[in-house]
């Protein structure tokens, strides 16, 4: 999260968070599960960081719903300056397909999350899967430079553009 803040600046909104997570994210505003950041009346503005929860709602991926909303908001120009999404790598799922059309960076290492007391000994807090950062914004080259030392970026630091 610190690297993301360094890249986009202070985070204005985290649309899927809670007070505990926001101690790390430090967003000016955040929406909790109860607020439901996917609701149309919850406006996304400024620099937005999205780390959606895992799971489904009515059989639809929650991450996919947040990705779709982020793309919609950015394309409509609704005061969204830039969006960085942290998503589970799920290349075989339909909801993930738009990622391949957007600037993205596959993180080199599994992320360590702060575990809750109930799972403090499980996997030392590391996720069981990889993550990808997805960027919606005008500073694509800056995004690639900011994350090229910790991620594989197709066409930038991969085989296609090997230095």
């Amino acid at each position: 999260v610190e690297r993301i803040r360094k890249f986009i600046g202070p985070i204005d909104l985290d649309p899927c968070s809670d007070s505990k997570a926001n101690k790390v994210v430090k967003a000016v505003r955040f929406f909790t599960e109860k607020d439901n950041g996917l609701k149309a009346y919850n406006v996304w503005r400024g620099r937005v960081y999205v780390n959606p929860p895992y799971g489904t709602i009515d059989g639809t991926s929650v991450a996919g719903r947040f990705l779709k909303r982020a793309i919609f908001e950015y394309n409509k120009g609704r005061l969204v300056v830039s969006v960085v999404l942290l998503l589970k790598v799920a290349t075989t799922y339909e909801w993930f397909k738009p990622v391949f059309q957007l600037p993205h960076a596959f993180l080199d290492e599994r992320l360590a999350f702060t575990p809750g007391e109930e799972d403090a000994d499980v996997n030392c807090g590391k996720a069981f899967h990889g993550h990808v950062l997805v960027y919606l914004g005008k500073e694509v080259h800056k995004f690639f430079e900011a994350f090229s030392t910790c991620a594989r970026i197709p066409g930038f630091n991969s085989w296609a553009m090997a230095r």
Side-chain angles (χ1 to χ4, degrees):
V1 175
E2 188 58 42
R3 191 181 291 249
I4 291 168
R5 264 196 303 277
K6 186 175 180 183
F7 167 61
I8 65 173
I11 296 168
D12 297 311
L13 174 66
D14 182 345
C16 43
S17 193
D18 59 34
S19 58
K20 182 179 177 184
N22 199 52
K23 288 178 184 175
V24 175
V25 175
K26 301 176 185 170
V28 174
R29 286 180 36 238
F30 63 91
F31 298 131
T32 65
E33 182 178 7
K34 183 180 176 188
D35 299 327
N36 191 351
L38 291 170
K39 294 288 185 185
Y41 56 78
N42 285 326
V43 179
W44 292 23
R45 288 194 180 108
R47 294 171 299 268
V48 181
Y49 168 72
V50 184
N51 179 8
Y54 305 138
T56 61
I57 297 173
D58 298 327
T60 305
S61 164
V62 175
R65 288 176 179 218
F66 276 98
L67 175 60
K68 186 176 180 179
R69 170 77 186 265
I71 293 168
F72 175 81
E73 291 294 336
Y74 186 76
N75 286 342
K76 289 292 183 183
R78 296 183 180 206
L79 303 174
V80 175
V81 175
S82 63
V83 180
V84 175
L85 297 105
L86 175 64
L87 302 172
K88 170 185 175 178
V89 174
T91 58
T92 60
Y93 290 89
E94 197 60 35
W95 70 262
F96 192 86
K97 302 295 187 226
V99 169
F100 295 115
Q101 303 305 313
L102 300 168
H104 60 281
F106 292 100
L107 298 180
D108 287 340
E109 296 186 22
R110 291 180 299 138
L111 295 177
F113 294 99
T114 305
E117 290 179 28
E118 69 283 354
D119 57 359
D121 293 328
V122 177
N123 203 30
C124 299
K126 285 204 173 195
F128 290 104
H129 50 75
H131 284 87
V132 62
L133 290 174
V134 180
Y135 177 62
L136 298 164
K138 298 190 184 316
E139 300 184 84
V140 175
H141 192 75
K142 186 177 168 187
F143 169 75
F144 289 158
E145 288 289 335
F147 296 100
S148 66
T149 59
C150 66
R152 300 301 93 215
I153 302 169
F156 184 76
N157 66 359
S158 64
W159 64 270
M161 299 293 284
R163 295 180 183 159

